[in-house]
Amino acid sequence: QADPMADANAIIAEHEKMPVFDPPGEAFDAKACMAGKKVLSIPISMTIPFNVELQKAMAKAAAEVGFTYTTWDNQLKSDQWIQGVSQAISQKYDVLDIAGGLNPEWLGPQLAEARAEGLKITTTHFYDVTQEQHASVDYSGAVDYTGAGKLLAAWAFAKTEGKPNVLIVGSSDVLPSIPFVKSIQDQLTALCPECTQKHLDVPVSEWATKIQPGVQSAILADPGINFVLPIYDSMSQFVVPALRITGAEGTVKIASYNGTPFVLDMVREGQVHMDIGESLGWSGYAAVDNMMRMLCGLPSVKKLNSPLLVFDEKNIETAGVPATFDDGYGDAHLEGFRKLWKLQ
Amino acid sequence: MTTIDMPAKASRPAFNIKREGERFALVAAWLLLIVIFGTLMPDSFLSWRNFSTMFGSQAVLVVLTLAIIIPLTSGDFDLSGASILTMSSMLIAVLNVKHGWSIGPVIIVALVSGAVIGAINAFFVLYFRIHSLIVTLGVGTFVNGMILWVSQSQTISGVSMTLVEWVIINRLFGIPLAFFYALILAAVIWYVLEYTIPGRKLLFVGRGREVSRLNGINVDKVRAVSFIVSGLIAALAGVFYSGMTGSADPLSGLNLLLPAFAAAFLGATTISPGRFNSFGAIISVYFLVTGITGLTMLGAQAYVQNLFYGGALVIAVSLSQLVRNRQPQDFS
Amino acid sequence: MTTIDMPAKASRPAFNIKREGERFALVAAWLLLIVIFGTLMPDSFLSWRNFSTMFGSQAVLVVLTLAIIIPLTSGDFDLSGASILTMSSMLIAVLNVKHGWSIGPVIIVALVSGAVIGAINAFFVLYFRIHSLIVTLGVGTFVNGMILWVSQSQTISGVSMTLVEWVIINRLFGIPLAFFYALILAAVIWYVLEYTIPGRKLLFVGRGREVSRLNGINVDKVRAVSFIVSGLIAALAGVFYSGMTGSADPLSGLNLLLPAFAAAFLGATTISPGRFNSFGAIISVYFLVTGITGLTMLGAQAYVQNLFYGGALVIAVSLSQLVRNRQPQDFS
Amino acid sequence: MSDNAVLQMNNIRMRFGSHYALKGVSLSIRRGEVFGLLGQNGSGKSTMIKVLAGFHQPEEGSEVILWGQKMPLPLNQMDIKTRGVAFVHQHLGLVPSLTVVENMRVTALGRKNPWFVSWKSEGQRVARLFAEFDLAIDPFATIAELPPVERAFVAIIRAFEDLRASDAGYGGEGILVLDEPTPFLPAEDVKRLFSLIRSIVKTGASVVIVTHDIDEVREITDRVAILRDGELVDILDTKTSERQTILDTIVGSRIDAFVKTRKAEARPAAVTVRGVTDGASPAFDLDIAEGETLGVTGLIGSGFAALPYLLCGARKGAGRITLSGQVVDLAKITPAKAQMMGIAFLPGDRLGAAGVGSLSVTDNITLPVLGQHLKPLGLDRGSMAREAARLSEIYDVRPPRPEMMLGSLSGGNQQKVLLAKWLQIKPKLLMLDEPTQGVDFGARQQIFKALDRATAQGTSILCASTDNEQLEQICDRIIVFSKGRPVMELKGDDITRKAITEACFYSDTHQAEAAE
Ligand SMILES: Nc1ncnc2c1ncn2[C@@H]1O[C@H](COP(=O)(O)OP(=O)(O)OP(=O)(O)O)[C@@H](O)[C@H]1O
Ligand SMILES: Nc1ncnc2c1ncn2[C@@H]1O[C@H](COP(=O)(O)OP(=O)(O)OP(=O)(O)O)[C@@H](O)[C@H]1O
Ligand SMILES: [Mg+2]
Ligand SMILES: [Mg+2]
């Protein structure tokens, strides 16, 4: 049996170096095959900062290539999503993109209708790489949640000298959470079969009311807990007060995933131990890349080309003060995608 | 004191500009919105497809609003409506998709679940004499827990296409059938409230419990029926919801609670001002959604939608109050 | 007409077992919960750390509940409380973190914003004579839009540690100070409502608007003040909220609306039954949170919390109704 | 205008919507007089009083001069109060769900510090105050627990105390304004009230009183102002005016008191009641003949008032009632069942128990006969409106616009509507609780005639009332109650106002003696 600590450190090291651009497929003349094309993207809600930034990046990429890209602004209401699909159909869009956590299953009949009208359906930043896309979807920009899960587990293992006692805060109403949590659990078990771990499952709409008390109770019930892993870093704002109020701040550490700016700020202030960042600028370009591949008749990419980067006290200043969605990753992707799309 | 012939003036004055103004102010505001957005976006906004989608996709909210209007008329709040809706759609998905029941019995089970939850509300409100607000809040929360349990917090898709077809795919004049169901239901409720004895009793109970009791109305029965019917209609809204999306998720339906109350109260300022009424509710729903849709099409940011929604609600009611010389609204 | 001695019955019977039972039923239920969970988990549940955590972490909800109790007493619903809370915490974060203002002035701005929103509620309710439910729903939605705009939909962290320290880090008897602030506020509200004439006027106005007016109470002024004070206290809850989390986000505070109403109504069954009262509200909040905490410690899943919350709410009120022979609750 | 006027109200104009309730009324009240304000229902009396109270704001040009000083418009309610004008409003102005002491203190003058109130000592003070007037009302009882008389006393004593606490109170002056304080009060309490008023007047204060009872007017007032349709018709000196003159001035044309021809001959009982009890007082029996009007009366608290409530199941009781061969257990009867048997009941609390103020006259009046308007296509709203208009006409409801809200009619007209509602179903037994409380003289006669016509068609009537004049005018037989059971019966020519009053008191003392 290999040394688990070495394995963990290897996983971490792989995500600590500056990301390099790794072309997701062959280059193609994007301008040519996207000429006159129209894409409408429906995010789950534009009140979520993550979606706002992702949409900005996608719009920017589209502008570089020069096709019409529209975001359907909405606030987590199914009638608005339906209206968006209808808009895509009536305004003769070519691609309908379901973005940032919106589950295509919630729009089954509408997507079927859109397809019948000749639209192509994509999802962006929704499925985990291990998940099958729904039948109503053509191309998916799947995300490496599983990889993030492994990284979180490795981090907790490595930073506790191999004695992690972990509380995972998940949210299984968000579809990719399931493989995400599972990969944390599996990786932890692989690294340390006898270590304790616990899963607190809180539906998204109840984060504000249930995460804090849930984390508090878990910590009081098991004072040995030394790492809290909220799978989405926006949960941290409820985890931090739970640690504070139970007097566990400092002894119990937080590591998470998403690279949301306010959490990066919390990393800088020492409230959060580590946050796995994912450049949304990069992700937006990668998503548009995948979409264009679909329209240009190229095969789908397996995994959204957007690397995961560890932000901790060592490199947090590179994320900006205050932090942003896009700083600290370098801009290898801009160069890379432009080349890939034969823009330069 | 002699019995004399019917005086001519006993029948209503034929036309009262003020009263009609009050009744149709909101309709006018709606038309105004359409004109504005139509002028700004003649192609996309004024397309029939846009309207038909709007009409179709709001059917669920309309039906939910109709559900809560009934206890509001009899003087009770029902905050559990959105939970019943979600429960019903989740039952449909679970039984139809996971357990493979055929859609007919599944719909019946879903409707029955709504009626049962309504009956539970009625039991606590009437047997223990608790304020309806707290009972329905508690029961609603309990039902939310049941939904999470039944669904394991998962979205379940793949609901029978028959249901989907009959709700949203099949159309009349290009508008999904769901809209017409909602319209028919509104007409039925209107008819029952205005033209039947049980409907009158409901109104009396809402306006004066003691008066109704002494006038020989079985107040508890009327209130119980109103809770149960409300549950049933909310469950019907759930059926439409799962037909609309072909799926069920444990949470998104709950967001409809406040919009439904907003529509019910806004609707009570129009058509039949001072009374919760079904066509008023419909107009309110479409007035608000027209604004939101228009703004979204113009590319307004998400926060503008809230500003419009809140602002329009308050301003529409304020205007209708101005028309009626700011007489206090009295729903009890 | 002769002057006779004080009749004996003028002062109430000193002790009435039934009435005391009614008053302290919820407290007993709370103690029972503590005993049950304490038996099951003597070490973790019965630790002082657990209680101090519970007391400290619910202070925001307590303060919000106190905010809505005031208009409830004067007969108005304030559905905008949670929005005011969120607005206040967002203003603190934006001004303190993004604009670098020092925390003192920022808190004042936040409190003023609450009072202003309360005044806007009051204006629409009182000038246009609109039902408070629809005004506060509309204004609340509008404020939600403002919050999204001010925050650009972002969560903002890094609020001044001075605030955080004074809210949650500094302790007395191991309990974060926030709890004591809430307690002091509750005591002040209790005193004002019970032992001052303005407090009684509030109650009078809530029980009978016309009668109050006939008696020379300036009803509009009383209601306006109650909306404004409610806004102010809700904003204070927002200050505590940002002190608690050290951050602000545009949405999560909104989830406190229904729990606050639940606590207000449950609280009206205890201590001073039949009246919304501040200590009743506190006990309700801690009764419910004790159950949730115990269940979570036992490892119950999330949905069990909803089941408990909804079930406990309804059953607690039902029991208190049984104690008082199921006399109808009358808040008006 | 007299020179010793303490209060002058000049050219008061008050408009509701497009309708003028007061069309320029001028009054002046002298020091130390009892001033009556008379007029039919809806003539503007209460409006006049509410203008003075600062509740309604009159139009420009209206003038209120108090103690020789012109009060700026809009009138400030507290200002009026501190200057020594105290009010008992028409419906008393008490909050039923709060306690006596709360009602007495919340808006009371003369408190030193509003920021601390000790309810215990306030309660003791209130109890002492009641004791001054020989009353034993628990200051911590809620108003809803009190019988109507005690509620009236609470309101009156509250006003009296306001008067004492006001600026004018130091000089023993002030103006006490009473808007129909007597309908709740039985005869002996009216006497007590009047002696109270006289003692107030002796101190130099003035009293303005609204009442529909002409005998009260003659007994207590010095002068009366008579309003009709919002205009001042006349001011009369009570001592020098005939009873009939006052009545005729009020109505505007001559109206005679309704005189009933009593049916004396024995007829078979249409309604038999056996062993009725509310559970606390002893059971008793009762028969009412077809077409007979039976009055039940007694002192307040003697238990007669509960009888109609027990017989229709509005209150829990026991016993049996037989009506056209049908025997029903009173423990199980409900208002719905009673109605099906042909029993109609008109409670005294018009808008709290008898009709819904926020619904139209049409809606209210057609409630028991909705079945008749049910056409195959549902309720025929047209025929409902026509029927309501027809009944409004027959029962002289003013204004005869059935689409108006019931609550916006005057009390007397509300009562006509509610009576019409029940008379149209031709009940076998009609039970009335204080049917003409606060109803003006003319309207009363109309109501009495309508009741008489109903009895001619076979309806039996049970009327619970403390209004002896009314009982004398309509009853064939009167049962006087004491301590929860019937103790005396008056019939035929025995029925006179005086006899009823005496019976009430006599039976009470007689019983007390018998008990010893
Ligand atoms: N709040 C109101 N709104 C509209 N009209 C009103 C209002 N109050 C009174 N009125 C109108 O004013 C007129 C006078 O009413 P008022 O109450 O003064 O009569 P009143 O003389 O006191 O009658 P009563 O003897 O029955 O007490 C009525 O015709 C009524 O229509
Ligand atoms: N809210 C209202 N809206 C419209 N008219 C009203 C309103 N309130 C009262 N009125 C009118 O005022 C008149 C008098 O009403 P009010 O109740 O003061 O009569 P009243 O003199 O007290 O009668 P009663 O002696 O029968 O109680 C009525 O004719 C009625 O139509
Ligand atoms: Mg009057
Ligand atoms: Mg009156």
Side-chain angles (χ1 to χ4, degrees), chain D residues 16 19 21 39-47 56 90 180 212 410-411:
Chain D
F16 294 110
H19 163 80
Q40 286 182 293
N41 293 135
S43 54
K45 306 178 297 290
S46 299
T47 307
H56 289 319
Q90 189 160 7
E180 295 194 39
H212 290 296
S410 77

Side-chain angles (χ1 to χ4, degrees), chain C residues 210, chain D residues 15-17 19-22 38-50 55-56 90 179-180 210 212 227 230 399 404 408-412 438-440:
Chain C
E210 275 298 283
Chain D
R15 194 174 59 164
F16 294 110
H19 163 80
Y20 274 95
L22 295 172
L38 308 186
Q40 286 182 293
N41 293 135
S43 54
K45 306 178 297 290
S46 299
T47 307
M48 195 74 186
I49 286 169
K50 286 177 183 170
F55 183 85
H56 289 319
Q90 189 160 7
D179 191 353
E180 295 194 39
V210 176
H212 290 296
L227 297 184
M404 278 176 67
S408 61
L409 292 180
S410 77
V439 174
D440 71 47

Side-chain angles (χ1 to χ4, degrees), chain D residues 258-321:
Chain D
F258 167 77
V259 182
K260 186 182 174 79
T261 37
R262 288 206 180 82
K263 298 160 193 121
E265 82 280 14
R267 278 163 300 165
V271 183
T272 52
V273 178
R274 293 290 171 263
V276 61
T277 168
D278 61 357
S281 36
F284 58 89
D285 301 342
L286 194 71
D287 290 326
I288 312 176
E290 185 177 312
E292 184 184 33
T293 303
L294 174 66
V296 289
T297 186
L299 297 179
I300 293 291
S302 59
F304 73 93
L307 188 59
Y309 290 87
L310 292 174
L311 294 187
C312 74
R315 200 173 288 174
K316 277 263 158 294
R320 267 178 304 120
I321 184 168

Side-chain angles (χ1 to χ4, degrees), chain A residues 259-271:
Chain A
T260 308
F262 85 91
V263 185
L264 296 176
D265 288 338
M266 291 169 111
V267 173
R268 195 176 61 245
E269 281 155 22
Q271 295 163 359

